[in-house]
Amino acid sequence: MGKNNWEAVDKYLDKFVLDEDPILEQVLTANKDADLPPIDVTPTQGQFLTIICTITGAKSILEIGTLGGYSTICLARGVGADGKVVTLEKSPKHAEVASKNLEHAGLRDRVDIKIGSALESLMSIQQLSPKPTFDLFFIDADKENNPKYFDTALQLSHPGSVIIVDNVIREGSFLSDSNDPNDIGTKQLLETVRNYDNLKTTVIQTVGGKGWDGFLMATVY
Ligand code: SAH
Ligand code: DHB
Ligand code: MG
């Protein structure tokens, strides 16, 4: 058993469990045509994000790391017509592709794409008066800044908010003493989270079409 089987099982689940989704399929085609890296959440993970929105009743979401908007669409579906997603993306090209994909999905009006370094966008959001809060966060950009993204998310949260961080396992590479900034970011994130006493946190390892990885999920008290 190994990676090939994980991929085969995910392919099966995509067809057997999920409904056909021409919109998300078109997103992947558009992303490929624009040479975006294929690092979107997988279809079953995307559906998981939509379900989490539904379960929590989240109406305001902050996403960090838009890429072509695959996960953004899943979140925007989850918040419903009266919900809003703010998504942060440093690459104007990625943001442009995402904007078109969201338009095509009929969801552009519930999504605000903020172009620029996420740390800078987060600072401007924090300076808004009144300071907004978000019901759910999906952190999925450069992994080395995850500790800072997490801290800022907490500052923009309220009791009951949910914070999800993608790619916190990356084949467990953070266990070896590597100098990879992504691994350092992951270790610091786990330390950061451990030091708060107003959180209930879990990390779920995953296998599938994108290999062995996992996500962190925390609720705020
Ligand atoms: N959430 C997307 C995938 C995001 S990939 C999905 O699942 O569909 C990570 C994205 O984060 C890339 O588009 C990259 O350009 C962006 N990114 C990387 N560093 C960033 C930074 N410092 N600020 C904002 N965005 C950043
Ligand atoms: C990478 C980033 C992601 O958000 C992801 O889900 C997978 C890989 C990356 O930067 O390699
Ligand atoms: Mg990711």
Side-chain angles (χ1 to χ4, degrees), residues 39-41 140-141 143 166-167 213:
I39 54 174
D40 340 67
V41 293
D140 190 22
K143 314 310 172 195
D166 197 23
N167 312 116
D213 212 325

Side-chain angles (χ1 to χ4, degrees), residues 93-138:
K93 177 182 158 181
H94 295 183
E96 178 66 31
V97 174
S99 179
K100 284 189 184 141
N101 285 336
L102 282 156
E103 192 80 53
H104 180 249
L107 296 166
R108 187 66 186 85
D109 57 341
R110 42 181 109 148
V111 178
D112 177 6
I113 307 175
K114 292 197 186 298
I115 302 172
S117 127
L119 288 174
E120 283 174 21
S121 298
L122 287 168
M123 255 199 283
S124 346
I125 293 172
Q126 271 185 303
Q127 279 159 10
L128 292 173
S129 175
K131 187 168 85 170
T133 62
F134 297 87
D135 304 327
L136 189 142
F137 300 82
F138 183 55

